[in-house]
Amino acid sequence: MTTEQIVILVLAIALAAALVCAIVAYAKYRATKKQDGSGNRYAQEVVLKDGVRYSADASVERGGAVNVTHAEGDFVLAAGKTYRAQREGELLPGTYTLLASNDAAHTFKLRVGGLVRNFSHGDTLVLKDGEEICAVSGSVILR
């Protein structure tokens, strides 16, 4: 083999290796982009129980910022829907910690007992039997 043939062979092998690396990188990029676009991106440390996803970290705040989590036993107030706290109902009377369902909004409005008030992420609310509650400004999690 001549020197020219050896150089061409080495360049061909290097080009083939670079092509394989480019194809693998593109496949990973596409998989990540497809996952992000379809909404199937999962948070870390998620526990699955009976087909429902729960956050392993139940802390209200992390590093001074709002930590939006969903834990077992949480009740989600859908925006605009009125719920009544009843002993045999889906929302039980008692003490709840209010959590913003949107980590960008630290405050939210709730209608409790007919009056609209501002609440903050982490506030405590006591619901008595028969009392009505409605999330006005957006969905809220009761823990």
Side-chain angles (χ1 to χ4, degrees), residues 1 4 7 14 42 51 64 74 85 87 90 92 105 108 117 135 138:
M1 289 181 90
E4 293 175 351
V7 171
Y42 297 115
D74 287 354
R87 291 185 182 191
E90 61 179 329
L92 301 174
F108 45 88
R117 293 181 25 208

Side-chain angles (χ1 to χ4, degrees), residues 48-127:
L48 267 75
K49 292 183 183 176
D50 298 326
V52 180
R53 297 178 33 141
Y54 298 104
S55 300
D57 180 17
S59 62
V60 175
E61 291 188 1
R62 183 183 298 148
V66 172
N67 185 26
V68 177
T69 61
H70 187 260
E72 189 171 3
D74 287 354
F75 188 84
V76 179
L77 296 175
K81 184 176 178 185
T82 303
Y83 299 90
R84 183 182 300 268
Q86 296 176 334
R87 291 185 182 191
E88 302 298 324
E90 61 179 329
L91 177 62
L92 301 174
T95 304
Y96 291 95
T97 301
L98 303 172
L99 305 174
S101 63
N102 182 358
D103 57 354
H106 189 71
T107 60
F108 45 88
K109 294 180 187 238
L110 293 177
R111 182 180 297 116
V112 182
L115 301 174
V116 177
R117 293 181 25 208
N118 287 326
F119 291 93
S120 295
H121 183 81
D123 285 353
T124 303
L125 176 69
V126 177
L127 293 175

